[in-house]
Amino acid sequence: MLEPILVEDCTYTKLVPSLEIVLNDLNENSTHHDYMVALVIVLLAEAGFYLSSTNNNYSRPKLKSLHVPKDWKSQETGVYEMYFQPETVPDIKCKLVAFPLGDTLILNFFPLIDGKITYTITVQTLKYVNPYSSDLCGRYMRLKEISYRFKDKLSTPVRSDILHKAGVMGPSLQAFPTELKLRILRLLDVCSLKRMAQCCSEFHELCSDAQLRRYIMLEHIGGRGNKATGEQR
């Protein structure tokens, strides 16, 4: 059987090594929320976010060197707070805050940048953690589901915001340079441009660019007239 690489590859008999290493930092008094947040540490690492170093010497982290911070949870409130650094832009830090509410865990993740957006998901911990299992492999359930949900709703949007802020190319449209975004918008028709303007404030501003709108009008409205009369442009 192949060795699992990502959390979603875990089986009932074999955990991914990075998760197994993190769980070694927990003890018999650890709660189901502890196990969930430990899982989140690994999911963030898979997405390129690693626990912030206490020194200024940044070194490329490894999945097999993950750990649970000693001060990860307030003993008074039970709230978890940790700082992370994206591997691609280590100068920008992010913060994870997890609030336990009964058997529910509210996860908040956001970059420490101007105009930050806080991304939030609510997790029913007992849906993914079995606190009564006698072995670690049976401690988790539905790992593929929580992995996809976490990355889609938290880590991917935060990474896009960071890359956009840093002006670094990324896998999302939002992370593209403004020049490239405008080039893409020039390929749209009038109706599509109106829809793009409704996506977010950034694209509303870009779609309102006078030169872009003039180009669209000439290309899609003026161009139709030229084609109808057989004129060459």
Side-chain angles (χ1 to χ4, degrees):
M1 182 177 294
L2 295 176
E3 184 84 1
I5 300 174
L6 302 174
V7 162
E8 61 189 73
D9 299 325
C10 292
T11 67
Y12 291 111
T13 59
K14 187 67 175 178
L15 290 177
V16 64
S18 53
L19 180 57
E20 192 169 7
I21 291 172
V22 167
L23 295 183
N24 288 332
D25 291 340
L26 303 182
N27 55 49
E28 58 183 12
N29 296 321
S30 298
T31 68
H32 54 307
H33 288 321
D34 291 340
Y35 278 92
M36 176 54 68
V37 178
L39 173 64
V40 167
I41 292 175
V42 179
L43 291 176
L44 280 171
E46 290 182 355
F49 294 90
Y50 291 84
L51 286 163
S52 182
S53 176
T54 55
N55 56 57
N56 295 324
N57 297 321
Y58 180 79
S59 58
R60 185 180 179 87
K62 298 180 181 179
L63 281 173
K64 294 185 178 181
S65 63
L66 299 178
H67 65 281
V68 172
K70 294 181 179 180
D71 56 348
W72 71 328
K73 180 174 67 171
S74 169
Q75 297 301 317
E76 297 179 357
T77 63
V79 174
Y80 302 81
E81 292 189 43
M82 285 170 282
Y83 291 91
F84 292 81
Q85 291 173 278
E87 184 178 6
T88 51
V89 191
D91 292 336
I92 297 179
K93 291 189 177 182
C94 305
K95 188 174 183 179
L96 173 74
V97 183
F99 298 91
L101 187 63
D103 289 329
T104 299
L105 194 64
I106 303 173
L107 296 170
N108 300 282
F109 191 50
F110 53 90
L112 300 180
I113 58 178
D114 295 335
K116 68 177 178 63
I117 298 176
T118 300
Y119 296 91
T120 303
I121 62 171
T122 301
V123 178
Q124 300 295 329
T125 302
L126 293 178
K127 181 179 180 180
Y128 305 103
V129 176
N130 177 12
Y132 307 108
S133 176
S134 59
D135 64 283
L136 290 180
C137 292
R139 193 61 52 90
Y140 292 101
M141 306 170 288
R142 303 179 178 88
L143 285 177
K144 182 172 292 188
E145 176 185 318
I146 188 61
S147 176
Y148 288 178
R149 183 183 172 200
F150 182 85
K151 292 173 182 177
D152 287 346
K153 300 297 183 180
L154 292 188
S155 59
T156 298
V158 169
R159 183 175 63 230
S160 295
D161 288 351
I162 290 173
L163 293 177
H164 176 63
K165 179 69 175 181
V168 178
M169 286 286 289
S172 68
L173 180 60
Q174 188 182 15
F176 285 2
T178 301
E179 180 184 3
L180 185 53
K181 291 175 187 173
L182 288 171
R183 287 181 177 273
I184 294 173
L185 292 175
R186 288 174 62 176
L187 300 175
L188 303 180
D189 56 38
V190 177
C191 291
S192 298
L193 196 67
K194 289 181 179 179
R195 295 192 186 99
M196 282 298 298
Q198 298 173 358
C199 292
C200 63
S201 58
E202 180 193 11
F203 278 103
H204 180 271
E205 181 178 353
L206 289 176
C207 292
S208 300
D209 181 80
Q211 289 184 321
L212 173 64
R213 297 179 72 88
R214 189 179 302 114
Y215 177 87
I216 296 295
M217 294 293 286
L218 291 173
E219 180 71 13
H220 294 280
I221 296 180
R224 290 176 184 172
N226 289 336
K227 290 179 181 177
T229 59
E231 295 179 8
Q232 297 292 326
R233 287 190 295 165

